[in-house]
Amino acid sequence: MSDAQEIDYEYLGHVSARGWYANSSITLVEVGIHLFMAIYGLSVFLETPKHLRKGRFPYILVSFVITILTALSGSLDAVWIFQHLFQATSGESFYDALLEDDDSSWGRVLSLAAFTVVIIIGDALLVYRCYVMWSHRWWLTVLPALSYVASVGLGIFLVVPDPNVSSDAYASIESAWVFLSVLTNVMVTALISFQLLSMRRTMLKLLPLASSDLNIYTGVVAILIESALPLSLFGLIYASIVVATPKRSTDAYASYLSAFYTFSCLFYAFSALSPHMIIFRITTGRSWMKVPQRPSDGDLSTPIEFNRGPAEQSFVQTTADLEGHSSGKEHGGTH
């Protein structure tokens, strides 16, 4: 039986077209989310008293860089997929066009480069936040940092087209890049989650009546965002799909393509959204820029009362007070 009789490329072309179109549409929605977080974060930053803005401007800058690059990549991808859909005369011709496209056009290269930079910035932020959480045991962050550096090298290599490298070699390098990026995210997620859960247990022992106030920075939602757990979860699934080999049948290929487009969309979307959500929490005063020193029982000489004002204002003030307490202890406190 011939290959044409075994595989219905017309049907696979339709599956691919739907997958690419859905991904492009979701990316544009994602751009809208980025715009909201960037603009709202800036507005809160501008309304914050000057003495509480210290250290937050770089996060505002990175927020807009992620937004602009994601919008650029998403717009170029929308144009690219429209051209393929417009020029296709059938599902099979669309499928063949995707296979023959070597991603060497200027628009495609610029799109890949822009989003690669987004991923590099996002992973760098996650590794840095991991280091902030574990600054007292910094050596635990060495392995995530090394895997991040390796993933950056492979990501840069993939952006620059090389006619001497075969498509199979590119596929292998892309798989290695995805696995390194996912490995970095998983290690960072595990380390940050452990630290946040440990901090929550310590604070609940010291402040048993303040569990609702602690939820803003050690609750379930805070841990999900700060640890980038969705990114790691979708990354593991996507990496597994990348290396999977479907059975040689139309239905198997169609199922594989559907899963591939779904989880590639989720993985790449959260590669930008996860770090941006962390930045959003920082710029709106809902997360630490540095983890304050944990207080011991002897540190609590007076009861602690939580400010019931607006979330942004109260948390920024509480964070500043905690960091100031830590700094004062380091420079002059004695017991």
Side-chain angles (χ1 to χ4, degrees), residues 12 15 250-260:
L12 294 182
V15 173
T250 300
D251 290 340
Y253 276 136
S255 298
Y256 175 83
L257 288 173
S258 297
F260 178 85

Side-chain angles (χ1 to χ4, degrees), residues 6-328:
E6 290 179 0
I7 307 298
D8 184 356
Y9 289 105
E10 180 71 20
Y11 178 66
L12 294 182
H14 291 160
V15 173
S16 297
R18 288 193 292 268
W20 269 107
Y21 185 80
N23 281 11
S24 179
S25 300
I26 292 173
T27 299
L28 296 180
V29 173
E30 177 196 346
V31 170
I33 297 174
H34 284 295
L35 281 171
F36 166 77
M37 290 193 291
I39 295 173
Y40 184 76
L42 177 62
S43 68
V44 172
F45 174 79
L46 294 176
E47 293 174 358
T48 302
K50 288 186 178 181
H51 69 283
L52 295 178
R53 294 182 188 179
K54 185 178 179 181
R56 287 180 167 81
F57 179 74
Y59 289 97
I60 294 291
L61 186 61
V62 172
S63 175
F64 276 92
V65 169
I66 290 176
T67 300
I68 292 170
L69 291 178
T70 303
L72 174 63
S73 179
S75 300
L76 291 172
D77 281 348
V79 173
W80 178 79
I81 194 60
F82 171 78
Q83 289 175 340
H84 277 294
L85 289 171
F86 184 76
Q87 295 170 2
T89 57
S90 63
E92 184 172 357
S93 67
F94 177 80
Y95 191 78
D96 290 339
L98 289 181
L99 294 177
E100 294 170 1
D101 195 317
D102 59 0
D103 293 336
S104 60
S105 64
W106 70 267
R108 191 63 178 153
V109 170
L110 182 57
S111 171
L112 294 174
F115 202 75
T116 298
V117 172
V118 170
I119 294 177
I120 290 173
I121 292 174
D123 286 352
L125 175 66
L126 295 177
V127 172
Y128 172 72
R129 294 287 287 179
C130 183
Y131 171 78
V132 168
M133 291 284 184
W134 287 93
S135 57
H136 60 297
R137 294 180 182 173
W138 61 267
W139 49 269
L140 288 172
T141 64
V142 171
L143 193 55
L146 290 176
S147 64
Y148 165 73
V149 172
S151 69
V152 169
L154 290 179
I156 294 174
F157 179 82
L158 289 170
V159 170
V160 182
D162 187 345
N164 297 322
V165 179
S166 65
S167 58
D168 290 339
Y170 263 117
S172 299
I173 295 172
E174 182 177 7
S175 299
W177 173 70
V178 169
F179 268 98
L180 279 173
S181 181
V182 170
L183 178 62
T184 302
N185 295 330
V186 169
M187 289 189 290
V188 167
T189 294
L191 288 170
I192 291 179
S193 297
F194 179 85
Q195 183 73 331
L196 287 175
L197 290 171
S198 177
M199 288 172 59
R200 180 176 176 82
R201 286 193 297 269
T202 301
M203 289 180 176
L204 285 177
K205 289 180 181 178
L206 298 173
L207 307 169
L209 301 179
S211 59
S212 60
D213 298 276
L214 296 177
N215 282 336
I216 194 171
Y217 50 97
T218 59
V220 175
V221 174
I223 292 174
L224 285 174
I225 295 175
E226 293 283 350
S227 66
L229 182 60
L231 172 59
S232 296
L233 179 62
F234 294 136
L236 283 172
I237 299 174
Y238 175 59
S240 302
I241 293 173
V242 167
V243 298
T245 303
K247 294 172 60 177
R248 191 167 185 77
S249 69
T250 300
D251 290 340
Y253 276 136
S255 298
Y256 175 83
L257 288 173
S258 297
F260 178 85
Y261 287 126
T262 299
F263 286 99
S264 66
C265 177
L266 291 170
F267 171 65
Y268 289 117
F270 276 91
S271 292
L273 284 174
S274 288
H276 203 171
M277 285 190 288
I278 294 174
I279 293 172
F280 182 71
R281 284 175 56 81
I282 294 172
T283 56
T284 56
R286 295 171 180 268
S287 182
W288 288 304
M289 290 183 294
K290 62 177 181 178
V291 179
Q293 183 176 335
R294 293 183 185 184
S296 61
D297 293 336
D299 291 329
L300 299 178
S301 57
T302 58
I304 292 179
E305 296 182 1
F306 284 84
N307 185 350
R308 302 295 176 177
E312 293 87 352
Q313 178 183 350
S314 63
F315 187 74
V316 169
Q317 186 62 56
T318 302
T319 302
D321 292 342
L322 285 170
E323 292 178 351
H325 167 79
S326 175
S327 176

